[in-house]
């Protein structure tokens, strides 16, 4: 599991509350949480099968555009935080294979993970 980095600068404390809570949920639910600090690396590693899912709670299209294409071509499903299809205006990038995505979305939302 790859997790996007934490916020810095003005308003970081408020933004990071959700990130810290998500990190805690992931740490008790997945085998390992990695934070590479690069959307491109996270998405490329997802496409290559080096990580099973990624969650970035904030992103810019110039950070994700190429990686989104690569991950989609490899079979990953990419969505925004609300589960709608990912696009250049998305506020978050959440991606995994179709079978794993519902569990990742539940973890992001703080809901019980659906049985598989």
């Amino acid at each position: 599991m790859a997790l996007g980095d934490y916020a810095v600068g003005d308003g970081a404390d408020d933004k990071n509350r959700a990130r810290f809570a998500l990190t805690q949920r992931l740490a008790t639910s997945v085998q390992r949480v990695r934070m590479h600090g690069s959307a491109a690396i996270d998405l490329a590693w997802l496409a290559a099968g080096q990580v099973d899912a990624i969650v970035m709670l904030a992103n810019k299209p110039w950070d994700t555009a190429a990686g989104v294409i690569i991950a989609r071509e490899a079979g990953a499903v990419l969505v925004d935080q609300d589960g709608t299809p990912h696009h250049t205006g998305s506020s978050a990038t959440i991606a995994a294979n179709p079978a794993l995505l519902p569990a990742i979305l539940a973890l992001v939302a703080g809901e019980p993970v659906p049985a598989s």
Side-chain angles (χ1 to χ4, degrees):
M1 170 91 226
L3 182 62
D5 51 8
Y6 296 115
V8 296
D10 292 338
D13 290 341
D14 290 334
K15 293 175 185 175
N16 284 331
R17 281 189 190 90
R19 289 168 172 79
F20 292 144
L22 175 58
T23 301
Q24 185 174 13
R25 288 191 301 274
L26 291 173
T28 61
S29 302
V30 302
Q31 184 175 12
R32 185 164 313 234
V33 178
R34 301 196 180 273
M35 187 178 291
H36 304 109
S38 167
I41 293 294
D42 288 346
L43 289 160
W45 277 31
L46 177 67
Q50 298 299 310
V51 296
D52 295 318
I54 65 150
V55 175
M56 290 179 272
L57 295 181
N59 52 254
K60 300 292 185 196
W62 50 85
D63 292 327
T64 59
V68 163
I69 293 168
I70 293 167
R72 279 187 178 140
E73 289 296 317
V77 177
L78 290 96
V79 297
D80 204 336
Q81 194 165 347
D82 63 1
T84 58
H86 185 275
H87 56 85
T88 56
S90 292
S91 63
T93 303
I94 301 168
N97 70 52
L100 186 57
L101 188 61
I104 299 303
L105 284 170
L107 285 168
V108 170
E111 299 169 352
V113 174
S116 52

